[in-house]
Amino acid sequence: DAGVIQSPRHEVTEMGQEVTLRCKPISGHNSLFWYRQTMMRGLELLIYFNNNVPIDDSGMPEDRFSAKMPNASFSTLKIQPSEPRDSAVYFCASSQLAVTPQFFGPGTRLTVL
Amino acid sequence: QKEVEQNSGPLSVPEGAIASLNCTYSDRGSQSFFWYRQYSGKSPELIMFIYSNGDKEDGRFTAQLNKASQYVSLLIRDSQPSDSATYLCAVKRDSNYQLIWGAGTKLIIKP
């Protein structure tokens, strides 16, 4: 079975540009999580969707960040405008239920110049 | 005090020995405990999860949970160089979706 799929794997952009990260969760999983990982702050939960509905976006750092899940097999995380401090690895994870183990995608390494 | 604490390491263990990784947590309401392995430049990979007090074994890996003392550990028997990675401990409160993550312990297995 395919795992969580993320694209792009690497993104280099200039400050002020819009960045869109994409995620396809494991089929049949109804919970989706977006994380950000940096050396300084470790893994941080940005937003959690359950059955395509955003349940908790308290981890989204600023209004520049937005996330959508239009259907059960696709989610996006958008940063507009991007800033150098947004440089990090962004992971998408999914789980069958909210309380079951989460499985991570390969991540998107974002560099904002 | 951090909610989930791990020694950052690095923890250096000779090949073939037992590697012992520890994690303590502060919330007594925590019910589910997870160990993830993360190779450099890769994503976290689930190794084990444990819900009940005691030991849970899977191949060379054993997870140990002691809720009274609020710690969970991961033992890796017959350590191999391929076990060298950062090990992340994650804790979930009862009926809550959110994982509380430790900062991870870097493990180095020396040939």
Side-chain angles (χ1 to χ4, degrees):
Chain A
D1 287 341
V4 176
I5 299 172
Q6 290 186 249
S7 65
R9 296 291 304 275
H10 301 273
E11 177 80 26
V12 179
T13 190
E14 292 187 346
M15 183 174 62
Q17 296 298 306
E18 178 179 296
V19 175
T20 300
L21 311 181
R22 298 172 177 79
C23 173
K24 176 180 171 55
I26 294 172
S27 178
H29 283 194
N30 71 358
S31 294
L32 185 138
F33 307 81
W34 280 100
Y35 287 94
R36 179 171 68 177
Q37 187 176 41
T38 61
M39 289 293 293
M40 291 294 294
R41 301 173 68 91
L43 264 172
E44 300 175 280
L45 177 65
L46 299 177
I47 189 169
Y48 158 58
F49 289 89
N50 184 261
N51 291 324
N52 313 337
V53 177
I55 302 301
D56 183 359
D57 65 354
S58 60
M60 298 284 264
E62 300 170 30
D63 291 344
R64 298 184 296 107
F65 286 68
S66 62
K68 294 182 180 179
M69 192 165 185
N71 57 61
S73 59
F74 185 65
S75 177
T76 60
L77 177 68
K78 185 178 293 186
I79 308 173
Q80 166 63 21
S82 58
E83 297 183 3
R85 59 193 169 120
D86 301 330
S87 298
V89 181
Y90 291 80
F91 290 109
C92 175
S94 71
S95 62
Q96 193 168 20
L97 299 170
V99 295
T100 54
Q102 297 175 20
F103 295 89
F104 283 73
T108 296
R109 183 173 295 275
L110 174 65
T111 302
V112 183
L113 303 175
Chain B
Q1 181 188 9
K2 292 182 181 178
E3 292 190 69
V4 177
E5 297 211 48
Q6 296 181 256
N7 188 319
S8 62
L11 175 65
S12 184
V13 174
E15 183 177 357
I18 296 176
S20 178
L21 303 162
N22 299 312
C23 172
T24 59
Y25 60 94
S26 61
D27 188 346
R28 286 193 174 274
S30 300
Q31 295 293 323
S32 308
F33 307 85
F34 305 84
W35 283 101
Y36 285 79
R37 177 177 62 198
Q38 188 173 23
Y39 292 115
S40 179
K42 302 295 186 181
S43 59
E45 173 191 10
L46 179 69
I47 296 177
M48 294 198 65
F49 55 92
I50 186 167
Y51 302 136
S52 304
N53 267 336
D55 295 0
K56 179 181 179 181
E57 187 174 318
D58 184 1
R60 297 188 295 112
F61 298 95
T62 299
Q64 298 177 319
L65 175 60
N66 184 320
K67 289 187 176 181
S69 300
Q70 295 177 240
Y71 80 79
V72 56
S73 61
L74 179 70
L75 302 179
I76 307 174
R77 290 181 300 280
D78 188 23
S79 298
Q80 303 295 311
S82 60
D83 295 325
S84 298
T86 295
Y87 288 79
L88 299 167
C89 172
V91 174
K92 189 192 293 279
R93 299 186 185 93
D94 189 25
S95 301
N96 189 307
Y97 61 88
Q98 189 166 0
L99 284 176
I100 310 300
W101 294 87
T105 297
K106 184 173 184 178
L107 175 66
I108 298 173
I109 306 300
K110 291 189 172 180

